């Protein structure tokens, strides 16, 4: 019921909109909806033109942006901060992607750059010179890959330290002349673990090209002898490729050995205790027979083939070298022996006998193991024979000298020579 004094409401007549007007309004709604979508995507709402522009911008362009070029990638050996690098092993810089534009390898403390070669494709650089031992090196490189920026890098490494270097000595002089019985002896500054590697690194040419064998007397000393004595008047070349060779426990050879030597005429001397004589042969012909005295019953001369180790026109003999003291019945006064040829490291020699022994030459043994000779005999051995020639002693009834007490290697049959445990008559 209407509130008092409120007039009755007057309702307006309904509005009649013609159909064309409704269709236009629908079209307007459609435009507004499209405009709303464009505004949501960030375009300005400015009517149908803006709508067309917005619709066009939502279609992907047919032109793609430039592809990204990956930078160069480089690997280096040895790795950065590496230590104990073998100087023989080359330094390698490789571009796994791109090409190298510059590589410099130098001692870090200063010095000339190490030469190297770049591969034809420009991707690998390799050093071409053996490096120094116990040296720190610096490596710098740059590489490019297409339009990408140039990539650079550097690293350092250290070669084998001095404490891990190995050197070797050989008992023949380059250009020297030796007897046909010369045994080759290699001595190493460090123990050798990989003995077979060392043997394979040795090459012996000439001297009759007679196949030989090695015998290790210790971890630091090995000898080589041919199956038979060297040919006389021959040239022999010995090589040991030790540089860069790992002999075990990280020890690396720091040099190669090369020696060329000659053999002279074939000399051989036979000392017979039964006849108390020394007979000398030169190139298969008897060149002289001389009376001798050998070691007495308390100091008998060892037997077997012995190689002359060294020679001297004068040599000082001391009883103290035999651990003799004054008052000992075998003591003798110090004297200079003449025309001396050493046969063992322990002190057996061929030499001119003392005046007191001259009357018993060819008759009795009065020496301390040496072969005492008349002056002409000792001089003949000294002047005609040389280190490497063989003097064989027979008939004393005493064993051979240990093979490493001098060069007693010819007393070992070749088939047993490499067997360090094989023992002969010593």
């Amino acid at each position: 019921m209407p509130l008092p004094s409120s007039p009755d409401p007057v309702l307006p007549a309904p509005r009649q909109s013609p159909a064309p007007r409704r269709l236009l309004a629908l079209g307007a709604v459609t435009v507004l909806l499209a405009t709303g979508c464009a505004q949501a995507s960030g375009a300005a709402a400015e009517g149908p033109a803006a709508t067309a522009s917005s619709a066009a911008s939502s279609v992907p362009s047919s032109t793609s942006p430039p592809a990204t070029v990956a930078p160069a990638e480089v690997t280096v050996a040895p790795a950065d901060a590496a230590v104990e690098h073998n100087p023989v092993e080359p330094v390698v810089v490789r571009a796994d992607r791109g090409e190298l534009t510059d590589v410099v390898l130098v001692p870090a403390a200063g010095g000339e750059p190490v030469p190297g070669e770049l591969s034809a494709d420009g991707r690998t650089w390799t050093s071409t010179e053996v490096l120094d031992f116990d040296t720190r090196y610096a490596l710098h490189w740059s590489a490019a890959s297409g339009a990408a920026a140039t990539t650079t890098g550097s690293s350092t490494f250290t070669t084998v330290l001095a404490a891990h270097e190995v050197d070797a000595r050989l008992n023949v002089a380059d250009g020297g002349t030796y007897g046909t019985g010369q045994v080759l002896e290699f001595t190493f500054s460090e123990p050798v673990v990989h003995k077979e590697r060392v043997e394979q690194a040795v090459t012996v040419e000439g001297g009759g090209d007679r196949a030989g064998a090695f015998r290790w007397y210790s971890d630091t000393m090995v000898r080589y002898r041919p199956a038979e004595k060297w040919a006389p008047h021959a040239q022999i070349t010995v090589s040991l490729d030790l540089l860069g060779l790992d002999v075990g426990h990280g020890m690396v050879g720091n040099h190669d050995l090369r020696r060329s030597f000659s053999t002279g005429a074939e000399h051989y001397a036979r000392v017979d205790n039964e006849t108390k004589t020394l007979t000398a042969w030169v190139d298969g012909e008897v060149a002289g027979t001389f009376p001798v005295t050998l070691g007495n019953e308390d100091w008998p001369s060892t037997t077997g083939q012995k190689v002359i180790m060294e020679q001297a026109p004068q040599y000082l003999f001391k009883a103290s070298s035999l651990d003799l003291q004054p008052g000992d019945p075998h003591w003798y006064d110090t004297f200079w022996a003449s025309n001396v040829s050493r046969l063992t490291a322990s002190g057996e020699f061929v030499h001119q006998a003392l005046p007191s022994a001259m009357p018993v030459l060819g008759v009795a043994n009065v020496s301390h193991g040496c072969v005492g000779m008349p002056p002409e005999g000792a001089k003949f051995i000294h002047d005609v024979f040389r280190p490497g020639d063989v003097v064989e002693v027979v008939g004393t009834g005493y064993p051979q000298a240990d093979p490493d007490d001098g060069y007693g290697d010819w007393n070992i049959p070749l088939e047993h020579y490499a067997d360090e445990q094989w023992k002969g008559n010593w």
Side-chain angles (χ1 to χ4, degrees):
M1 178 172 189
L3 293 176
S5 63
S6 295
D8 291 335
V10 178
L11 298 177
R15 301 183 66 179
Q16 300 293 322
S17 299
R21 180 79 176 181
R22 288 197 302 270
L23 289 176
L24 180 59
L26 180 60
V29 172
T30 302
V31 171
L32 289 175
L33 288 175
T35 302
C37 291
Q39 286 178 327
S41 63
E46 296 183 359
T51 302
S53 174
S54 298
S57 65
S58 66
V59 179
S61 170
S62 61
T63 303
S64 301
T68 301
V69 179
E73 289 185 358
V74 175
T75 56
V76 174
D80 186 26
V83 295
E84 299 291 337
H85 175 71
N86 191 328
V88 173
E89 296 179 3
V91 175
V92 179
V93 182
R94 179 177 294 107
D96 299 315
R97 182 168 55 227
E99 294 183 4
L100 298 170
T101 56
D102 189 34
V103 177
V104 178
L105 175 64
V106 292
E112 293 296 317
V114 178
E117 289 184 351
L118 186 64
S119 61
D121 61 6
R123 298 180 64 181
T124 304
W125 183 92
T126 307
S127 62
T128 56
E129 187 175 276
V130 174
L131 305 180
D132 293 329
F133 279 76
D134 197 17
T135 301
R136 184 169 177 265
Y137 282 89
L139 178 66
H140 308 281
W141 54 265
S142 60
S145 176
T150 299
T151 303
T152 62
S154 62
S155 62
T156 61
F157 63 91
T158 305
T159 54
V160 171
L161 300 178
H164 296 157
E165 295 181 42
V166 179
D167 55 60
R169 300 190 306 275
L170 181 58
N171 65 336
V172 294
D174 198 45
T177 301
Y178 296 85
T180 58
Q182 180 65 37
V183 175
L184 302 179
E185 181 179 280
F186 300 89
T187 306
F188 299 89
S189 62
E190 303 292 339
V192 175
V193 177
H194 304 309
K195 294 179 172 63
E196 189 172 314
R197 291 184 187 176
V198 170
E199 293 178 15
Q200 292 172 347
V202 175
T203 303
V204 180
E205 298 174 315
D209 292 322
R210 295 158 178 170
F214 293 91
R215 184 178 179 90
W216 289 86
Y217 286 92
S218 72
D219 287 341
T220 58
M221 192 263 277
V222 64
R223 290 180 182 168
Y224 174 90
R225 49 153 280 205
E228 301 174 17
K229 296 179 179 66
W230 307 106
H233 309 287
Q235 185 78 15
I236 301 159
T237 300
V238 184
S239 301
L240 169 59
D241 296 329
L242 183 64
L243 180 62
L245 184 66
D246 185 345
V247 303
H249 298 312
M251 300 294 176
V252 178
N254 63 7
H255 69 115
D256 289 332
L257 266 177
R258 299 283 186 275
R259 295 285 189 278
S260 291
F261 67 95
S262 302
T263 55
E266 183 180 23
H267 298 143
Y268 169 73
R270 179 182 174 88
V271 180
D272 189 339
N273 183 53
E274 296 297 323
T275 60
K276 304 289 190 293
T277 58
L278 180 151
T279 302
W281 281 264
V282 176
D283 283 335
E285 300 290 334
V286 174
T289 299
F290 308 92
V292 299
T293 183
L294 299 173
N296 61 42
E297 60 182 13
D298 293 325
W299 295 85
S301 301
T302 58
T303 56
Q305 299 184 64
K306 310 169 193 181
V307 176
I308 295 177
M309 301 176 67
E310 60 176 338
Q311 294 177 300
Q314 297 288 321
Y315 201 98
L316 188 64
F317 278 21
K318 298 180 180 180
S320 59
S321 66
L322 299 176
D323 294 328
L324 299 175
Q325 302 298 325
D328 190 291
H330 298 290
W331 170 263
Y332 59 86
D333 291 332
T334 299
F335 71 97
W336 285 93
S338 299
N339 292 315
V340 175
S341 299
R342 179 188 284 272
L343 300 180
T344 69
S346 60
E348 289 188 29
F349 298 84
V350 175
H351 65 88
Q352 181 177 315
L354 290 173
S356 60
M358 291 295 178
V360 299
L361 292 179
V363 177
N365 294 330
V366 296
S367 80
H368 290 74
C370 293
V371 178
M373 298 187 71
E376 67 276 12
K379 182 172 175 58
F380 178 86
I381 296 298
H382 176 271
D383 292 351
V384 177
F385 280 53
R386 57 175 54 88
D389 284 327
V390 173
V391 176
E392 184 172 13
V393 177
V394 299
T396 68
Y398 201 68
Q400 301 164 344
D402 287 349
D404 58 348
D405 183 13
Y407 299 115
D409 303 74
W410 297 107
N411 298 316
I412 305 173
L414 184 66
E415 61 268 25
H416 298 297
Y417 190 65
D419 182 0
E420 301 162 29
Q421 304 304 316
W422 188 88
K423 189 179 186 305
N425 180 29
W426 57 73

